[in-house]
Amino acid sequence: MSVLDLTLNNGITIPQLGFGVFQIPPEETAKAVATALEVGYRHIDTAEMYGNEAEVGAAIRASGVPRNEIFVTSKLNNGFHQPDQARAAFQGTLEALDIGYVDLFLIHWPLPTLYGGDYVSTWETLVEFTADGRARSVGVSNFQPDHLDRLAAQTGTVPAVNQIEVHPYFGNEAARKASHDRNILVEAWSPIAQGGVLEDETIVGIAQKYDKTPAQVVLRWHLERGDIIFPKSTHEERMRENFALFDIELSPDDVEAISALDKGEEGRTGPNPDTFAYIPD
Ligand SMILES: NC(=O)C1=CN([C@@H]2O[C@H](COP(=O)(O)OP(=O)(O)OC[C@H]3O[C@@H](n4cnc5c(N)ncnc54)[C@H](OP(=O)(O)O)[C@@H]3O)[C@@H](O)[C@H]2O)C=CC1
Ligand SMILES: O=C(O)C(=O)[C@@H](O)[C@H](O)C(=O)CO
């Protein structure tokens, strides 16, 4: 068994398991991405907000792996929702990455309390980027069910993915369901809650049963629920651990036992998209 390719609602495929680079300092990013590609990852998730797009691109160009074998995602930073700003920001992402095109470009946060809540026009601007192939697919991140409803009601286009916080302590089921109902794949960010679920006794017990680590069991749980994941690590042994998920299959009871750890809103580790209004300097 190896990494599965899932098919987006536009027919394009995406590796279900990738590598995320949030909080990897720029000076460490090229080495981390090069190592991830050596391990076998073929899907990298970055963002203008992370400040390391240029280093991601440099590692990809230096890797010797053909460009069309690597799926690269980046995201529109929060300060750039007005259409002309979004166009300029997207061009900046393309120039920083310098790998020709992005496979997926997302609205990073909906910012419903800013810009008159006008993430709909932001979305329509992103759709423009697919016309000439500069973005092969476009999607959203941190969209709540009502945000998806507005896109559906006011535009004729559907995001390819919704990248949202999901892990055993925060199932985010309403946003997952709203995405699935619209044929939008879910990408689960902070899939191991930045390590916060790894000492849970249920997870540790299940890991012992399969002779796997808690991180592997949690990542496998995501895969079996059909979500896309890209755990981050700067340590090669953890990159290998997080990639070695294809020699086990959790029983439906174990999947259910991990899903039952959901604490609802109390389990959220990141900002709430309904109120998050951060704009970087
Ligand atoms: N769209 C959005 O708003 C967001 C998107 N994301 C995306 O999701 C990706 C993943 O989420 P992220 O927040 O990074 O969190 P993760 O859940 O991937 O956890 C990363 C943390 O866990 C540690 N870790 C990784 N593997 C293991 C392991 N096997 N055992 C023990 N500890 C481990 C890492 O440490 P170390 O590096 O020291 O190994 C790091 O501290 C991001 O990199 C980013 O691409 C994340 C947040 C928000
Ligand atoms: O990692 C991301 O993609 C994010 O959006 C986060 O950095 C988020 O903005 C956050 O954690 C702010 O505290």
Side-chain angles (χ1 to χ4, degrees), residues 13-36:
T13 58
I14 179 170
Q16 191 182 10
L17 173 62
F19 181 71
V21 298
F22 173 44
Q23 292 178 322
I24 304 186
E27 62 277 13
E28 293 176 32
T29 300
K31 179 168 182 289
V33 172
T35 306

Side-chain angles (χ1 to χ4, degrees), residues 22-23 45-47 49-50 75 78 108-109 141-142 163 189-190 194 269-271 276 278:
F22 173 44
Q23 292 178 322
D45 184 88
T46 185
M49 189 189 284
Y50 304 165
K75 314 183 191 92
N78 289 349
H108 203 146
W109 288 87
S141 177
N142 299 300
Q163 183 177 127
W189 62 252
S190 291
Q194 299 205 333
T269 64
F276 191 56
Y278 167 71

Side-chain angles (χ1 to χ4, degrees), residues 206-259:
I206 292 173
Q208 285 166 349
K209 193 161 77 178
Y210 290 91
D211 197 20
K212 285 284 182 180
T213 67
Q216 288 171 322
V217 157
V218 172
L219 295 172
R220 184 71 210 182
W221 169 81
H222 285 283
L223 298 184
E224 289 186 20
R225 284 159 38 108
D227 290 351
I228 297 161
I229 49 170
F230 21 79
K232 168 264 179 186
S233 181
T234 48
H235 296 96
E236 180 173 346
E237 68 279 12
R238 286 179 172 172
M239 292 182 205
R240 291 190 185 282
E241 176 185 336
N242 296 346
F243 199 72
L245 307 178
F246 302 101
D247 54 355
I248 59 161
E249 193 171 340
L250 301 178
S251 72
D253 283 352
D254 288 331
V255 171
E256 182 49 41
I258 296 174
S259 301

Side-chain angles (χ1 to χ4, degrees), residues 147-176:
H147 305 146
L148 296 177
D149 287 346
R150 271 193 66 206
L151 291 193
Q154 296 179 25
T155 78
T157 47
V158 181
V161 304
N162 188 14
Q163 183 177 127
I164 53 178
E165 180 178 351
V166 183
H167 48 73
Y169 288 168
F170 186 57
N172 211 345
E173 292 303 342
R176 284 183 81 238

Side-chain angles (χ1 to χ4, degrees), residues 1 38 45 47 55 61 78 94 118 168 171 206 220 262 274 280:
M1 280 194 289
E38 280 164 27
D45 184 88
E55 292 76 11
R61 291 196 307 277
N78 289 349
L94 288 178
D118 197 13
I206 292 173
R220 184 71 210 182
D262 188 3
D274 286 327

